[in-house]
Amino acid sequence: YQRRVHGGFVAMLVSSTPLRGALRSLPQKLKPLLPTCAAAVFGSQVQPNTAVAVPGFVFHSVLSQQFVRMLGNLSQFLKEGEAHAKARGFKVEDLLTYRLAPDQFNLIRQVQIACDTAKFAAARLTQGEATAPTFSDTETTVEELQARIAATVAYLNKFSPQDFERSSSLSITTPRWNGKTMRGSDYLNAHILPNFYFHVTTAYAILRHSGVGLGKKSYLGNLPFEE
């Protein structure tokens, strides 16, 4: 199992566009050494300059496990913000409209986009956009934002590793890309992961900057320590 997991993550890394470019730029005489080095470190053979299929369980691990955890943490951020507003005697709705800079989205929009990023990732990587839940982007209260988070988590929990077996090689596009596409593995690495964590982190930062008693442990959430 450990060998399979290591191989999956190496495959994801090697399949990313930046790393493929780096591998191509290596001197020719060094390229034959790469599979041996990868095998020594990770226990799996990885060939440079080849399209590597990322196993479905890797996508599932990110979308249906890690993202679910982080959305749960985001839900807790909002609870802490609500308690802070009550303790300080102001409306929590005021907190929801705060932003870090005049040209940045407010807290409500950060939560909305974090949910959408996770939702659309799972939908597009399984070719299931038509059946993905839709949100109206009209939330104005903590309760409504919590409902959106819960709906997103419920959607992500429906997937199994088998649902993502073909995700690596899919051609993905979005309405904002003007017809441009990228492979499923690159979509996850270059777009979904940084975009999701950007909005979760910004939501955290807005609340922390506003005086809510959050810390790094709040961001990490409950860690799966072994008994």
Side-chain angles (χ1 to χ4, degrees), residues 196-212:
F196 177 78
Y197 285 110
F198 174 87
H199 291 288
V200 172
T201 301
T202 304
Y204 167 92
I206 290 172
L207 290 167
R208 185 69 184 89
H209 184 70
S210 300
V212 180

Side-chain angles (χ1 to χ4, degrees), residues 14-63:
V14 173
S15 67
S16 69
T17 298
L19 190 50
R20 288 203 309 274
L23 291 176
R24 282 195 294 268
S25 69
L26 285 174
Q28 192 63 36
K29 63 182 180 181
L30 295 181
K31 290 182 180 180
L33 300 177
L34 289 173
T36 302
C37 293
V41 176
F42 296 103
S44 63
Q45 292 290 325
V46 180
Q47 298 293 334
N49 297 325
T50 58
V52 182
V54 178
F57 74 87
V58 175
F59 288 93
H60 182 265
S61 174
V62 172
L63 298 174

